Amino acid sequence: MSLKSKSGKTGVLKKIAFSTSKFALLSFIFLGFLFVLSGVEIGLGLLNHSMESSFFSLWGWSCLEDLKFFFSFILPAYLVYLPLHLLIPRITNIIFKTGLVLFFLIQLSLVFYYNTTLLLLGSDIFGYSLEEITQTVGASGSLSFTPFLILLLFISILIFALVFLPKKIIIKREIGIVLPVTSLLFIGLGISDRLQMANMKSEFESNLIRNKFQHFYTAAYGHFNPELYEVDIYAESYLGDFNSNYSIAEPIEYLDETNYPFLRKELKRDVLTPFFETKEQAPDIVIIIVEGLGRAFTNRGAYLGNFTPFLDSLSNKSLYWPNFLSNGGRTFAVLPSLLGSMPFGENGFMDMEKNMPDELSLLNLLQENGYNTNFYYGGNSEFDKMAMYLKKNKVDRIVDENDFPGSYKKIPASASGFTWGYGDKEMFRYYFDLKKKDPKSPKLDVMLTVSMHSPFITDETEKYELLFEERLEDFGFSEEKKERYRNYQKQYSSVLFTDEALRQFFQEYKKDDKFNNTIFIITGDHRIPEIPMASKIDRYHVPLLIYSPLLKRQEEFESISSHFDVAPSLISFLKNNYALKAPESNSFIGAGLDTTRSFQNIHNIPLKQTKTELIDFVMGEYHLNGDNLYRLTRDFKEEPVQDEAKKDELRNAFNQFKRKNAEVIEGKKILPDSLIRKYSQ
């Protein structure tokens, strides 16, 4: 080999070594700031929320998550950086340094979002319009001055480090090459998957230590590269049916899955009649969906304490399900699941808009049977496409914030100038004003409250803050525990406000001569996420109360049911007792409420966490969350379970639901046109 060739080869190797050294320095700066930001995030968490683990314990686990993220992408980044730096070193450094600044701007935004809402931002952002995103962010108050100050300080220090440290520090080439080699081993051996996350003491702490950018990227990638659920001729033979794994009173018999994925014979399970007296005239039905009403702080036995004294007293006179589930982690799912027992579609059933398949819901079926149907909401009914869903289901009247007279007061605006509309007391007051002007019966009135929603502002702040303090005193909490609860004073105060609004609602309704022939149904759309959650199932765990002067006795059922089961049970009850005209087949997801007193679950229950995340499934006493399996205990806590056979059983049943749901997304109908024409003109 000539001296010139050797010299050329040596020169290339030196350039590679130099580029590797520069890349290593940028990588170490990146890793160092990842660790610093994790410390900032844990600090914010401790400052604003109640946690059992120590700062250093949480920071250590968070840094481990950062390391997993770091080594997962260092090799790909090096393979991009190296050839570019050999060709255009100055421009490459500018591009990568700018990329690091942009990365931390995104990471900081995701950190602040979680610290405010206690929700990991993922692909759900793609399920909302820009207007809805702006409204939600404005409501959360996450655009305050403190996060902006932290962001400005952090980015300024980062830019300083990226500009001046490369002039002062040189990384040895031996150290530099260790990073991509380690990343290669890390990726090749699947070390990230083998390193399990810590079993933290709460769902909040588990989410706090997660790298927010990695979660967002993973969720976004899954959203744009969805798992497809193709139905083939052998699917039933090896997967089993979605509804056949646990015995119910009557097995599900599907009628035409090729054309109508969910169409089945009616389940003759009228479980409500034994508890009710009946009158000649069909009863009025009032459904109150309480924003954020989680079981965690509702009624006796709530693990956070009972902050709903009125609802607790009402449950003692009701049919009460303490172990009840909403089918969505946010409000988007509640109307289709509760009123129609419908599947989720892609981003929620209502998000299908004009492509929503025709259905027979409580709204249009009862309207066809002579009911006057109404929806009341203190906010904007266009949010989450609610108004479109209601109109498609032939609701007679929608009352929202645009209809309130000037004599009604909106919720006071937050610091950002945002208000959701009219609070629960004002909405109930307006409801009675309208009811007096339109006394028709029978009625189906559906109400969705708004006061228990971020930013948790009422126009009687001092009154309910005082009630909050009295509640803490009644619980006998220590001063240390009281301080932890005060981190969520606004949230708990709003719960007490809504509970009092419900008390006043029933006091007023008792004056109505239709009261004695009315059935009231109260549930939550999901649990308030801004109070840290103890488990994965916590966000869906809501109460269900059915109260009526027509009840012959009170009863509490420890069995598990969900919003999917409400419409089937109500329709069966009305059909058997009031000659309600309803078809002998339907496409309900739910099989009806379980009125077993002991703890059990006969349902297979899919749960959609956000508009884009269908990752939860409950079957029997087990809960599948992503790839994690939990066992539900009688007090509705969760224990991690390592049982691959059981996990496969749930996964297979869940996949069957997903396949059917995917067919609806692709355009298959819910019901034959003949049934729609016959029962919903």
Side-chain angles (χ1 to χ4, degrees):
M1 184 179 288
S2 67
L3 185 62
K4 186 175 181 180
S5 298
K6 289 182 178 179
S7 176
K9 185 176 181 180
T10 303
V12 171
L13 290 174
K14 283 184 177 180
K15 286 183 178 180
I16 291 174
F18 178 74
S19 296
T20 301
S21 176
K22 289 292 183 182
F23 177 79
L25 179 58
L26 290 177
S27 299
F28 283 126
I29 291 173
F30 175 61
L31 182 61
F33 275 85
L34 269 183
F35 289 164
V36 170
L37 183 52
S38 286
V40 171
E41 181 178 9
I42 302 303
L44 285 172
L46 285 167
L47 183 65
N48 297 316
H49 304 288
S50 301
M51 290 184 282
E52 296 183 47
S53 301
S54 68
F55 171 84
F56 289 104
S57 171
L58 291 167
W59 191 22
W61 285 111
S62 183
C63 288
L64 178 60
E65 290 299 306
D66 289 339
L67 276 172
K68 288 164 61 177
F69 169 66
F70 177 76
F71 282 117
S72 294
F73 93 97
I74 279 297
L75 178 61
Y78 176 71
L79 294 176
V80 173
Y81 180 91
L82 181 60
L84 286 176
H85 193 265
L86 291 174
L87 295 172
I88 44 173
R90 183 178 178 82
I91 294 175
T92 301
N93 281 328
I94 292 173
I95 291 172
F96 269 70
K97 288 177 181 179
T98 303
L100 287 182
V101 173
L102 290 174
F103 168 86
F104 278 106
L105 282 171
I106 296 171
Q107 179 80 331
L108 277 159
S109 300
L110 294 172
V111 165
F112 294 141
Y113 180 85
Y114 179 73
N115 187 65
T116 302
T117 66
L118 303 192
L119 295 169
L120 291 169
L121 187 62
S123 60
D124 47 317
I125 194 173
F126 305 115
Y128 290 90
S129 67
L130 181 60
E131 182 182 357
E132 289 172 330
I133 292 170
T134 303
Q135 186 173 351
T136 303
V137 172
S140 71
S142 55
L143 300 176
S144 62
F145 179 71
T146 301
F148 177 76
L149 187 63
I150 294 173
L151 184 147
L152 185 64
L153 181 63
F154 188 93
I155 295 299
S156 298
I157 297 172
L158 173 64
I159 293 173
F160 178 86
L162 290 171
V163 171
F164 290 101
L165 288 183
K167 298 177 182 179
K168 303 291 184 180
I169 300 174
I170 298 175
I171 302 294
K172 291 183 179 181
R173 62 184 181 183
E174 293 83 3
I175 296 175
I177 199 63
V178 166
L179 288 177
V181 170
T182 304
S183 181
L184 175 63
L185 293 172
F186 193 85
I187 296 169
L189 297 175
I191 295 174
S192 181
D193 294 331
R194 297 182 185 183
L195 288 174
Q196 297 294 322
M197 280 187 61
N199 184 20
M200 306 306 294
K201 296 179 179 178
S202 69
E203 173 71 359
F204 166 64
E205 292 185 9
S206 295
N207 287 336
L208 183 67
I209 66 174
R210 296 180 70 173
N211 184 289
K212 304 303 181 289
F213 184 89
Q214 184 176 38
H215 173 82
F216 179 79
Y217 168 78
T218 303
Y221 181 84
H223 176 72
F224 291 108
N225 298 273
E227 188 175 358
L228 299 177
Y229 295 94
E230 302 288 343
V231 176
D232 60 61
I233 60 174
Y234 302 108
E236 300 298 332
S237 64
Y238 62 81
L239 282 177
D241 188 76
F242 160 56
N243 274 309
S244 67
N245 298 76
Y246 285 83
S247 62
I248 55 177
E250 182 182 346
I252 301 287
E253 182 181 346
Y254 290 104
L255 300 175
D256 186 0
E257 290 182 88
T258 302
N259 297 302
Y260 310 99
F262 293 102
L263 183 64
R264 70 186 195 201
K265 280 190 176 181
E266 180 192 3
L267 294 177
K268 301 182 185 302
R269 299 188 66 236
D270 176 15
V271 297
L272 295 179
T273 292
F275 300 97
F276 281 89
E277 295 177 357
T278 55
K279 296 189 176 183
E280 185 176 343
Q281 184 179 16
D284 286 356
I285 298 172
V286 177
I287 299 176
I288 304 176
I289 305 166
V290 181
E291 170 69 45
L293 185 68
R295 177 71 176 92
F297 44 78
T298 302
N299 297 0
R300 59 197 177 279
Y303 75 84
L304 289 175
N306 177 11
F307 285 88
T308 57
F310 171 70
L311 275 184
D312 191 24
S313 66
L314 194 67
S315 70
N316 292 326
K317 307 168 188 173
S318 306
L319 303 181
Y320 173 48
W321 286 261
N323 297 326
F324 197 75
L325 294 172
S326 69
N327 295 103
R330 293 188 177 178
T331 310
F332 73 90
V334 71
L335 295 184
S337 59
L338 184 66
L339 303 179
S341 196
M342 286 292 101
F344 299 115
E346 185 174 5
N347 295 323
F349 190 83
M350 296 190 297
D351 205 67
M352 299 174 76
E353 300 185 73
K354 294 179 181 178
N355 294 322
M356 268 186 279
D358 292 329
E359 61 170 308
L360 290 176
S361 68
L362 278 173
L363 291 168
N364 55 16
L365 197 55
L366 266 62
Q367 192 222 38
E368 182 66 16
N369 280 270
Y371 271 76
N372 180 257
T373 58
N374 307 281
F375 178 76
Y376 300 85
Y377 181 49
N380 182 359
S381 63
E382 298 292 335
F383 192 80
D384 275 337
K385 315 295 189 303
M386 289 189 293
M388 183 173 289
Y389 174 80
L390 293 162
K391 290 172 184 176
K392 187 172 179 64
N393 279 271
K394 310 289 181 66
V395 70
D396 289 308
R397 179 170 57 181
I398 298 173
V399 177
D400 70 1
E401 66 177 354
N402 298 312
D403 300 300
F404 282 69
S407 57
Y408 289 79
K409 292 183 180 179
K410 281 190 172 183
I411 298 170
S414 64
S416 62
F418 175 83
T419 175
W420 274 108
Y422 295 87
D424 301 346
K425 289 185 179 181
E426 290 291 81
M427 183 187 73
F428 292 150
R429 184 162 72 93
Y430 191 39
Y431 167 78
F432 286 114
D433 284 349
L434 292 174
K435 195 172 187 299
K436 290 171 186 174
K437 298 173 185 176
D438 185 14
K440 287 185 228 172
S441 277
K443 281 180 181 289
L444 169 63
D445 291 334
V446 181
M447 285 174 264
L448 175 60
T449 72
V450 75
S451 292
M452 284 168 55
H453 196 297
S454 175
F456 307 104
I457 296 174
T458 72
D459 54 3
E460 301 173 89
T461 303
E462 291 184 8
K463 174 182 176 180
Y464 289 98
E465 286 181 355
L466 180 61
L467 285 175
F468 165 72
E469 290 294 332
E470 290 176 357
R471 205 73 187 152
L472 297 187
E473 196 67 33
D474 291 341
F475 293 154
F477 287 169
S478 66
E479 283 303 314
E480 180 184 358
K481 192 167 184 178
K482 287 179 184 177
E483 281 302 314
R484 293 203 301 269
Y485 271 68
R486 286 173 186 136
N487 288 326
Y488 315 103
Q489 183 185 64
K490 290 198 302 183
Q491 288 88 335
Y492 287 121
S493 294
S494 73
V495 176
L496 290 164
F497 172 87
T498 294
D499 188 63
E500 180 63 22
L502 288 166
R503 183 193 299 276
Q504 293 175 4
F505 172 86
F506 279 95
Q507 286 173 344
E508 184 66 25
Y509 210 112
K510 286 178 180 178
K511 301 174 185 176
D512 193 303
D513 58 4
K514 304 290 175 48
F515 173 72
N516 289 324
N517 195 31
T518 302
I519 296 173
F520 301 90
I521 299 171
I522 304 172
T523 189
D525 59 345
H526 57 81
R527 189 255 218 216
I528 290 176
E530 286 85 355
I531 300 174
M533 299 183 194
S535 64
K536 298 286 186 183
I537 202 69
D538 212 356
R539 80 169 57 233
Y540 307 103
H541 189 191
V542 298
L544 175 72
L545 287 77
I546 299 180
Y547 167 75
S548 176
L550 296 169
L551 281 173
K552 292 188 282 190
R553 67 180 188 275
Q554 165 275 335
E555 199 66 72
E556 180 173 323
F557 312 107
E558 291 191 22
S559 52
I560 300 172
S561 293
S562 78
H563 284 157
F564 281 147
D565 300 305
V566 173
S569 286
L570 270 179
I571 289 171
S572 292
F573 169 74
L574 293 172
K575 189 174 181 180
N576 287 344
N577 294 283
Y578 297 97
L580 184 85
K581 294 178 182 178
E584 293 299 316
S585 58
N586 56 52
S587 289
F588 293 148
I589 305 300
L593 297 165
D594 184 359
T595 51
T596 304
R597 295 178 194 171
S598 58
F599 180 73
Q600 68 167 25
N601 177 29
I602 61 173
H603 304 294
N604 289 358
I605 309 173
L607 308 165
K608 195 166 176 64
Q609 183 169 304
T610 65
K611 281 190 174 184
T612 57
E613 293 179 297
L614 181 56
I615 60 173
D616 290 286
F617 187 70
V618 173
M619 186 170 78
E621 61 182 0
Y622 294 94
H623 171 207
L624 182 69
N625 170 260
D627 197 44
N628 299 308
L629 184 65
Y630 302 90
R631 179 184 286 110
L632 295 170
T633 63
R634 185 170 181 171
D635 55 358
F636 235 62
K637 293 180 180 178
E638 291 194 303
E639 301 170 345
V641 175
Q642 299 300 322
D643 186 335
E644 290 303 316
K646 182 59 67 176
K647 188 186 293 185
D648 285 342
E649 185 183 356
L650 268 78
R651 187 185 290 118
N652 290 340
F654 195 14
N655 284 343
Q656 275 295 77
F657 171 79
K658 289 180 178 179
R659 283 179 171 82
K660 291 174 180 285
N661 187 64
E663 289 184 305
V664 173
I665 295 170
E666 291 163 6
K668 287 194 176 181
K669 294 182 178 181
I670 293 291
L671 292 169
D673 291 340
S674 59
L675 286 182
I676 299 295
R677 286 194 299 268
K678 183 174 181 180
Y679 293 98
S680 177
Q681 295 299 321

